[in-house]
Amino acid sequence: MTISLIRTLILYFVILIGMRLMGKRQISELQTSELVVTLLISDIAAIPMQDTDQPLVSGLLPILVLIAVELFLSFAMMRSRRFRRLLCGSPIVLIENGKLNQQKMRELRITIEDLWEELRQKDIFALSDVAYAIVETNGTMSIIKKPEKEVPTVSMLKISNTEPLFEAVVIHDGTFSSWGLSLCGKTQEWVEAVLRQENTRREEIFLMTATPQGGYTLVKKEDNR
């Protein structure tokens, strides 16, 4: 039992480090080669975990080889666009100026229901609103609306002197977040001044967010007594 636990932990940390080396992506964003490597690693790792008669190196070696191959392919794709197209393919236009390319849909085996589901997820409910719909190499679909159907932006409305508005967590469960303070350009002294103004203590705060413009939101801890 102890041996199985140790082997599992070793494999877990090796795979974790390998995945960090290969980069951060969601499953839906994996390229074909990355998805294949991920599936193979999961299958290979299961064998030495379950069968303690198998040498641990028989599982570690193939995993390390797959990680090395994936890193090599990633660097090769960065250096050569031709190699990347060969391995990952090219984006495919499904809709152009509201017109469906039925041939490409058949090639990709995308049904009308699949396409309409993608459109609805992008808040599009009419085919005539679409300028382009492009299937990317990782299988996701990028959709561009026609200009007259786009939500007006600040630049379209000619509004000047605007700053991005966002909130960053500066206190979480009574503890300062140095990363959040740096993100919104505030200091612990500024936060403490706000808390004095609100007549409360940091230890009583469950969540506090702040904006670069000086706005803030306080959520006090609930009394569970």
Side-chain angles (χ1 to χ4, degrees), residues 166 168 170 179-187 190 211-212:
F166 65 90
V170 294
W179 184 85
L181 288 167
S182 174
L183 184 63
C184 66
K186 302 301 178 185
T187 63
W190 179 87
T211 68

Side-chain angles (χ1 to χ4, degrees), residues 18-32:
M19 291 300 172
R20 287 295 303 272
L21 289 173
M22 288 192 294
K24 296 181 178 179
R25 289 181 186 262
Q26 298 179 7
I27 294 297
S28 61
E29 298 174 347
L30 293 178
Q31 296 289 352
T32 305

